Amino acid sequence: MTFKGSYTVCVTPFDAEGRVDLEALRAYVDWQIEEGVHGLIPLGSTGEFLSLTREERTAVAEVVIQQTAGRVPVLIGTAAEWTDEAVSLSREAELLGADGVMLVPPYYSSPTDEELVVHFTRVAEALTIPVMLYNNPFTANVDLSAALVGRLSEVDNISYIKDTSKNVHRVTELLEACQGRMTVFAGYYPWESYLAGAEGYSSVMSNIAPKLSAQTFERTVDGSGEGRDLYVNSLPLINALAGDLYVSATKAAMQMIGRPMGDPRAPRLPLPEAKRAELETIMRNLGLLAEA
């Protein structure tokens, strides 16, 4: 199985008491697939994986895989600070039926390149499904350089990377360093990244506008020229969902489209009113607000 296209990095729904809402998650999965997404990635940063218990992470992974039922690929976020835990979570994901796993580097210890090679290699060697590296220097405190990713691409099963460096030229550097061994997914700026050779987009925006995100990919790679117009229209939303308040903003936007997913877990707070008003204007301009 080859991964490409617009993959939604899924929110985790909570009910009014702050518990994981598995029924809402099932409905969300069906809606996402009906809207045309090309894949799902639960338990990433947008999914608040660090604010879930181990049991909750297992439940979310199991429900998304079961509800998807093979209709699109599912990559489970299995990041952990401790390598043994990342291996355990990744093996569990494979046993549950995941098509792949996605791992951000250990996010507290600021590991060296040699430590990162050991970490990712141990996870990859424990699996038969692909590993997607997740480069997010803004949260993990390390930047997976093109040279390092080139080394990691020589490890069996490490064949994808989501790059959230905000440096579109990094796509070119990664493809050159990996010599055909790595498929690049954009974390930001999908249209420019597609033109540089990325074959996918790990999309926060797709939580709110899955069809728009999927169509931007499809109408860029088909050469029709329509992809740029869709992308430019969606840029205000992409930017509004970026930055430190990305989870709060995404959940606020989900409420605005009539698909509430609860508030984020502490220490995160709901989106401040001023930011919420700005987001609502963007959503209104895109025609995404739910009818009253």
Side-chain angles (χ1 to χ4, degrees):
M1 178 182 292
T2 301
F3 307 145
K4 67 178 184 178
S6 176
Y7 279 45
T8 305
V9 283
C10 309
V11 297
T12 299
F14 302 127
D15 64 18
E17 283 72 44
R19 299 169 300 197
V20 175
D21 190 336
L22 297 178
E23 288 308 306
L25 183 60
R26 290 185 187 278
Y28 164 89
V29 167
D30 286 340
W31 171 66
Q32 284 279 316
I33 295 171
E34 289 163 5
E35 289 288 294
V37 300
H38 304 113
L40 297 170
I41 309 177
L43 299 172
S45 304
T46 305
E48 300 179 72
F49 76 94
L50 282 168
S51 301
L52 302 178
T53 67
R54 175 65 184 264
E55 292 75 19
E56 288 173 330
R57 290 180 71 167
T58 299
V60 167
E62 187 171 27
V63 164
V64 173
I65 292 167
Q66 287 179 349
Q67 195 68 23
T68 300
R71 290 177 287 174
V72 297
V74 176
L75 282 69
I76 300 297
T78 56
E81 178 68 18
W82 180 29
T83 301
D84 286 4
E85 185 178 7
V87 169
S88 176
L89 286 163
S90 299
R91 283 177 170 162
E92 177 182 77
E94 181 170 16
L95 288 172
L96 290 172
D99 299 293
V101 299
M102 184 180 75
L103 290 98
V104 74
Y107 26 78
Y108 180 81
S109 56
S110 300
T112 65
D113 281 4
E114 294 307 316
E115 290 170 336
L116 288 167
V117 169
V118 169
H119 178 77
F120 289 123
T121 299
R122 281 189 54 192
V123 174
E125 289 179 344
L127 305 175
T128 62
I129 56 176
V131 172
M132 176 182 282
L133 306 176
Y134 175 14
N135 183 37
N136 191 338
F138 306 103
T139 59
N141 301 314
V142 293
D143 186 9
L144 301 181
S145 68
L148 174 59
V149 175
R151 288 176 62 189
L152 290 167
S153 72
E154 296 177 357
V155 178
D156 287 344
N157 292 343
I158 301 181
S159 44
Y160 296 86
I161 181 168
K162 169 188 175 181
D163 185 72
T164 312
S165 66
K166 288 193 171 183
N167 175 7
V168 175
H169 181 59
R170 180 66 64 84
V171 176
T172 302
E173 294 176 325
L174 288 167
L175 294 174
E176 178 66 22
C178 297
Q179 294 293 300
R181 297 184 299 268
M182 187 77 75
T183 298
V184 178
F185 271 57
Y188 282 113
Y189 309 133
W191 182 76
E192 295 95 334
S193 297
Y194 296 149
L195 297 186
E199 296 183 45
Y201 176 33
S202 181
S203 177
V204 177
M205 179 188 77
S206 189
N207 281 288
I208 298 102
K211 184 177 292 184
L212 176 58
S213 189
Q215 287 178 340
T216 300
F217 171 78
E218 293 160 0
R219 296 180 188 178
T220 300
V221 299
D222 70 8
S224 67
E226 295 179 29
R228 184 182 185 279
D229 293 337
L230 293 172
Y231 171 60
V232 170
N233 288 339
S234 65
L235 257 179
L237 179 58
I238 291 173
N239 290 330
L241 300 176
D244 294 338
L245 299 178
Y246 65 99
V247 174
S248 302
T250 301
K251 289 205 159 180
M254 295 293 291
Q255 185 179 41
M256 292 176 192
I257 65 171
R259 290 185 173 272
M261 293 290 177
D263 290 333
R265 281 186 171 172
R268 291 187 174 96
L269 297 173
L271 194 66
E273 282 304 315
K275 291 286 186 181
R276 186 179 181 89
E278 294 172 6
L279 178 60
E280 187 171 348
T281 298
I282 291 168
M283 300 279 286
R284 181 178 297 107
N285 291 340
L286 286 170
L288 294 173
L289 291 181
E291 295 182 6

